[in-house]
Amino acid sequence: MVKKSALAVLLVGAMAFCSFQLLDGATVSWGLQSPSPPFEEAMDASTTLQTEFAVRHTDLYAVELNYRFDRTSQAERDAAWSFAGGNATGASLHAEVEINKISDTKIRLLHETVQKPKLTSWGAGVLSSELAARRLTPGKYNLRVKLVGGPPPPGIGLTVSVSKAYRGK
């Protein structure tokens, strides 16, 4: 029995399980085996990333391709900008994105191919291209992203992230 507002952590192998009992008596539990947005996973060009994740709140979520670089290096920033097609041409690759909801059966919610993804945001150390956005409800999902194209320049890392999608007013 977990006391009110106490935290129990059970480590089983490489998987952690956490459980909170809230003041109203409700229990919130999760395992770190299935991350929840926001999360980010590294990948290489011309490979496929496949991962499961859990959504706890209905919202609009975005899948982004991120080009990471050393923010203190202007040369790496320039290389990332060129590789990501920062001159409005888009990156010299394409991405296949698939999201399936996992229940008793697999329900395909999204299957898109994005040719030459264009930059949608940038900051210190990262440039990002939104590949897709979809409203997701609580549950478990499978994400598959396949990149086809040449490798990024040295010093540029590729990641895929899932996070809440923010839209302007």
Side-chain angles (χ1 to χ4, degrees), residues 82-139:
S82 178
F83 182 74
N87 56 1
T89 62
S92 295
L93 52 82
H94 74 268
E96 297 173 15
V97 182
E98 186 175 304
I99 296 178
N100 298 297
K101 186 161 188 178
I102 302 169
S103 57
D104 293 337
T105 60
K106 194 189 307 187
I107 303 166
R108 180 178 285 171
L109 299 177
L110 173 77
H111 188 194
E112 292 184 13
T113 299
V114 181
Q115 299 287 343
K116 296 187 167 231
K118 295 189 180 195
L119 289 178
T120 52
S121 64
W122 47 86
V126 65
L127 307 174
S128 300
S129 299
E130 184 177 293
L131 301 176
R134 183 69 77 222
R135 183 163 300 283
L136 301 177
T137 57

Side-chain angles (χ1 to χ4, degrees), residues 38-117:
F39 70 89
E40 186 168 7
E41 300 221 8
M43 73 178 301
D44 296 318
S46 299
T47 62
T48 301
L49 168 72
Q50 189 153 334
T51 188
E52 287 185 7
F53 66 97
V55 168
R56 292 188 185 85
H57 305 286
T58 299
D59 213 328
L60 182 65
Y61 292 91
V63 178
E64 292 184 319
L65 175 61
N66 305 295
Y67 310 86
R68 297 218 164 259
F69 56 91
D70 179 353
R71 66 185 186 180
T72 64
S73 171
Q74 186 62 44
E76 283 187 16
R77 182 176 186 81
D78 292 344
W81 187 264
S82 178
F83 182 74
N87 56 1
T89 62
S92 295
L93 52 82
H94 74 268
E96 297 173 15
V97 182
E98 186 175 304
I99 296 178
N100 298 297
K101 186 161 188 178
I102 302 169
S103 57
D104 293 337
T105 60
K106 194 189 307 187
I107 303 166
R108 180 178 285 171
L109 299 177
L110 173 77
H111 188 194
E112 292 184 13
T113 299
V114 181
Q115 299 287 343
K116 296 187 167 231

